[in-house]
Amino acid sequence: MEAWYMDESADDQRKPHRLQPNLPVTLKELEQFGVFSWKLDADKYEDDPELQKIRKERNYSWTDIIKIQKDTLPNYEEKIRSFFQEHIHLDDEIRYILDGSGYFDIRDKDDKWIRIAMMKGDMITLPAGIYHRFTLDENNYAKVMRLFVGEPVWTPYYRPADEFEARKKYVHFLNQVL
Ligand code: KMT
Ligand code: NI
């Protein structure tokens, strides 16, 4: 997994949008935003002790798998658009890339976009209340496992969503660590 600060160009969202020169963000820096990640062997996700351990420890009881690609995902264009609209959730967003690739973008404490490049085998958790968005990259394909603690709620709250308790809690967390 690799992350970097984004440029401000309005060009295609599926392009990397690196600054020139590149300004990398380390996994440790991401952890300060409450973003945690793992590298797993996606070829054995159906019977992977490492995945089972993470799920057990963090109570990720619920999973499904979605393929984000034009011909198999219903309402593809609309979903691509809504994934890329800046939003929060009231719960953690936990995703594991089983095949293909894509970008999660998160805001840093100064409201700058950080782009997180997710490849096959990358698993990530974004904390409740963090402003973020998702896009496919130029490969136009991702097979993604979605995980959740209990019964899933996928509702996005588009920015501005500052009045939500989850958002206030997240801002409080950021102010304590940074
Ligand atoms: C979200 O809420 O940002 C998403 O679920 C999109 C990315 S993974 C399907
Ligand atoms: Ni989301």
Side-chain angles (χ1 to χ4, degrees):
M1 215 178 81
E2 194 198 341
W4 56 83
Y5 276 96
M6 292 184 75
D7 68 21
E8 311 250 305
S9 110
D11 201 6
D12 185 349
Q13 69 191 52
R14 298 170 198 245
K15 293 194 170 165
H17 287 270
R18 286 177 193 270
L19 290 170
Q20 193 66 260
N22 188 44
L23 180 52
V25 179
T26 65
L27 296 189
K28 235 176 120 172
E29 288 172 292
L30 291 180
E31 289 183 3
Q32 306 212 293
F33 299 117
V35 173
F36 292 85
S37 61
W38 300 267
K39 184 84 193 178
L40 300 172
D41 181 355
D43 288 325
K44 56 177 204 189
Y45 76 87
E46 286 171 298
D47 186 24
D48 180 3
E50 267 194 84
L51 176 61
Q52 285 162 11
K53 186 164 175 275
I54 296 166
R55 288 185 58 188
K56 196 168 169 204
E57 283 173 358
R58 306 178 71 104
N59 292 317
Y60 296 162
S61 50
W62 193 95
T63 68
D64 76 353
I65 293 172
I66 64 167
K67 283 186 182 175
I68 308 174
Q69 66 185 343
K70 213 182 191 94
D71 298 325
T72 58
L73 187 69
N75 302 318
Y76 172 83
E77 299 293 349
E78 190 199 315
K79 280 187 184 133
I80 291 289
R81 260 198 307 279
S82 66
F83 289 162
F84 200 62
Q85 265 202 54
E86 183 171 5
H87 62 272
I88 63 166
H89 305 280
L90 308 187
D91 304 278
D92 294 358
E93 177 164 327
I94 311 142
R95 299 289 185 269
Y96 176 18
I97 306 294
L98 300 178
D99 199 11
S101 49
Y103 298 125
F104 283 97
D105 299 335
I106 62 157
R107 293 284 193 183
D108 83 348
K109 61 178 191 319
D110 300 319
D111 230 18
K112 299 258 189 285
W113 281 117
I114 294 171
R115 174 149 279 191
I116 304 169
M118 301 277 295
M119 314 268 290
K120 178 175 175 176
D122 289 328
M123 181 168 165
I124 196 167
T125 169
L126 307 180
I130 192 174
Y131 280 120
H132 69 279
R133 63 189 183 188
F134 173 84
T135 180
L136 290 175
D137 61 21
E138 289 167 291
N139 294 320
N140 283 314
Y141 172 63
K143 181 181 173 187
V144 183
M145 181 187 287
R146 303 189 292 185
L147 303 95
F148 205 87
V149 180
E151 276 305 299
V153 182
W154 308 122
T155 318
Y157 296 95
Y158 297 108
R159 192 170 183 172
D162 300 311
E163 73 283 7
F164 287 95
E165 202 49 42
R167 177 63 193 167
K168 289 182 183 160
K169 255 176 100 172
Y170 180 67
V171 170
H172 182 73
F173 159 81
L174 268 191
N175 289 335
Q176 291 209 312
V177 293
L178 298 173

